Amino acid sequence: MLILGINAYHGDSSACLIKDGEILNAIEEERIRRIKHWAGFPSESIKFCLKDAGIAINDIEYVTIGRNPSAHLTKKIIRSVKKLTRPGFIIDRLSNLRKVTSLKSELANALGMKVKDITAELKHIEHHRSHLASAFYPSPFEEAAVLSIDGFGDFSSAMTGAGKGKKIEVLNSVTYPHSLGIFYTAFTQFLGFPHYGDEYKMMGLAPYGKPYHYDKLRDIILLLNNGRFELNEKYFLHSSKGVAMTWQNSAPVLGRIYSDHLIREFGDPRKKGESLTEYHKNLAASVQKMTENAIFHILKNLYKKTGLRNICIAGGVAQNSVANGKLLENTKFENVYIPSAGYDAGTAIGSALYLYHNILKKSRNGHVKSAYYGPGYSDDEVESILREKKIKYRRLSDAEIIEKTAQILADGAVIGWFQGRTEFGPRALGNRSVLVNPGRPDAKELLNAKIKKRESFRPFAPSILREYVSEYFETDDDVYFMEKVFKIREDKRKLIPAVTHVDGTGRLQTVHKDVSPKYYALIDRFREKTGLPILLNTSFNENEPIVNTPQEAIDCFLRTEMDALVIGNCVVVRSKQ
């Protein structure tokens, strides 16, 4: 059975193909259109998925979308009539819902077909059920508690449940206007990071401050006895005036969420270009601590309800890798699984899996450890592009490319590393990465000067061979998707300064030989040369979506100051003038 899953008319539009419960491929529309968080109909992603699998749309039995316009419909109408003072907001939302419900016509238009000729059955799966499914069904657990938590989707901001075999039972949900994601995003905006998806910047800033304003934030997030929470609505605009959103055919734009009352209580918001003060850093630390405690509050109650020792988490807030790294020490859960795309792109996979397992009651497949679901390219294709652009290169054997790249890295160079299939999710996991020796004390400054040109307070992540995790980190865990931050052992921090954040932590990726054999071989050879079983791994891009094609990788290499580019077994070394 073939199912096409999509996320459409929402940030991080995406598509995937599921065959008999197995993920065949998946990609975010931003990777193809080159616009971050692209939010319209994922036509190009759909075309990729079909072409990659060698099938046509009428080979598909079902099309699923992680949105259900009828979910909580009565609540939506009542809330809109009673509370919202800006009629245009209601019109915008209704327009968005109409698009969601006309997906077959969009699909037909994208593929140059007539609607009547598309035979696939369309299924709307509630947003948070899709998130829950994206985390539970690919996990290694037969039974697990499940949590989805984000801004909003289908009028809900959080949902808890219990997964057992093929079935997910929903236990509770938090509905509009209460949202932990809204809380975090409001302060992200307040601190001068206005773009959709900027929350990771505040998370990176938080360790530079102290949570001195935590007690004041307890007036904004109210933790209730039953594991639920509420927002103090006077600090926000979304429940009274609505928040302007642009969702179609471009990067999503989110209007101001915080109210004038929040400004009166916390002072003037940080302006564009304004220096970060100790106050800003301390406020970021306070918001991070409040968010973590709210998550732990929900999870403690969920454990009490279910008694299950495993937890699966998805939703935009699940991308908070700092909180993720503290889950087990702050709750009674023993094991945690978070998918590679915990945010909204992952609802494409989640909606398809929810239909296949929960509704159609089909058997589950095994533990998903890989995120390499996008396009891949042969060395012959790469050579053709390099020759066309008249770029000098060498094509080496597998053993030679590992040896050559490891030596360049050991010598302190910055390398663009492009291998296999593109990752699905926000992290480069060794297939579309920029790599550096983590022992270089100046690596952060080097990367920001040569390539990334990003805020100096943001950390870079370590990729470490699985066998060496306990030697370098205080917590020994499998972290396939770079989704958890752990403390680095104090005696190791001076050895790997480039991937040690200001608080002594690192957002690690554990590299496994059976999942990423070429990347594993590279790090292992680097270890033999330097004694370090770790590489600094950051995404292969320059203020754009992660590169997807060889052409994009070459273009990025040429306009930045990387020292070398390795695409498959082809290596380009920048000549030194």
Side-chain angles (χ1 to χ4, degrees), residues 304-358:
K304 192 182 297 184
K305 277 186 179 179
T306 65
L308 297 169
R309 63 190 183 91
N310 305 314
I311 178 68
C312 301
I313 306 178
V317 178
Q319 298 298 145
N320 194 308
S321 51
V322 174
N324 295 341
K326 300 175 182 178
L327 290 180
L328 299 186
E329 64 182 279
N330 285 279
T331 72
K332 292 185 178 180
F333 289 108
E334 297 174 21
N335 306 292
V336 59
Y337 181 84
I338 299 165
S340 69
Y343 61 152
D344 287 336
T347 61
I349 289 176
S351 64
L353 292 179
Y354 189 89
L355 171 68
Y356 188 77
H357 298 301
N358 200 80

Side-chain angles (χ1 to χ4, degrees), residues 116-350:
K116 65 182 179 65
D117 294 332
I118 293 181
T119 58
E121 188 176 346
L122 179 62
K123 295 287 187 181
H124 291 272
I125 308 298
E126 191 177 353
H127 182 81
H128 284 281
R129 290 175 190 265
S130 299
H131 272 316
L132 296 180
S134 77
F136 176 61
Y137 292 123
S139 79
F141 312 132
E142 179 64 18
E143 294 187 343
V146 284
L147 168 66
S148 169
I149 185 164
D150 64 10
F152 283 112
D154 290 330
F155 214 65
S156 293
S157 71
M159 184 175 284
T160 59
K164 297 185 179 182
K166 307 169 193 174
K167 187 73 176 173
I168 293 176
E169 177 191 0
V170 173
L171 298 175
N172 211 338
S173 66
V174 177
T175 57
Y176 193 93
H178 308 294
S179 166
L180 191 55
I182 285 288
F183 165 77
Y184 204 88
T185 298
F187 277 97
T188 298
Q189 292 180 344
F190 184 84
L191 286 171
F193 309 119
H195 298 113
Y196 185 93
D198 272 354
E199 289 82 2
Y200 65 94
K201 294 184 180 182
M202 185 166 70
M203 184 176 66
L205 179 64
Y208 288 87
K210 301 291 183 184
Y212 294 141
H213 309 289
Y214 176 79
D215 287 341
K216 197 170 183 180
L217 294 176
R218 293 170 71 179
D219 183 50
I220 303 179
I221 289 277
L222 312 173
L223 304 181
L224 308 178
N225 291 333
N226 57 0
R228 296 172 66 84
F229 63 87
E230 289 183 354
L231 290 183
N232 185 335
E233 295 181 54
K234 64 185 179 183
Y235 287 91
F236 306 95
L237 295 175
H238 67 289
S239 63
S240 59
K241 295 183 178 180
V243 175
M245 288 180 281
T246 302
W247 293 110
Q248 189 177 7
N249 297 340
S250 66
V253 177
L254 193 61
R256 191 182 107 183
I257 296 175
Y258 58 87
S259 69
D260 289 342
H261 180 75
L262 190 144
I263 295 173
R264 286 192 292 272
E265 291 295 318
F266 288 90
D268 291 333
R270 177 173 167 257
K271 297 178 178 63
K272 184 177 180 180
E274 183 183 344
S275 297
L276 285 162
T277 66
E278 288 303 308
Y279 178 75
H280 297 136
K281 296 170 186 176
N282 293 337
L283 185 55
S286 304
V287 172
Q288 178 65 29
K289 181 180 177 180
M290 186 75 243
T291 302
E292 291 172 9
N293 286 347
I295 294 170
F296 305 151
H297 170 73
I298 296 165
L299 289 176
K300 286 172 184 176
N301 184 265
L302 183 56
Y303 179 85
K304 192 182 297 184
K305 277 186 179 179
T306 65
L308 297 169
R309 63 190 183 91
N310 305 314
I311 178 68
C312 301
I313 306 178
V317 178
Q319 298 298 145
N320 194 308
S321 51
V322 174
N324 295 341
K326 300 175 182 178
L327 290 180
L328 299 186
E329 64 182 279
N330 285 279
T331 72
K332 292 185 178 180
F333 289 108
E334 297 174 21
N335 306 292
V336 59
Y337 181 84
I338 299 165
S340 69
Y343 61 152
D344 287 336
T347 61
I349 289 176

Side-chain angles (χ1 to χ4, degrees), residues 29 153 243 395 520:
E29 192 79 357
V243 175
R395 180 168 171 174
Y520 183 98

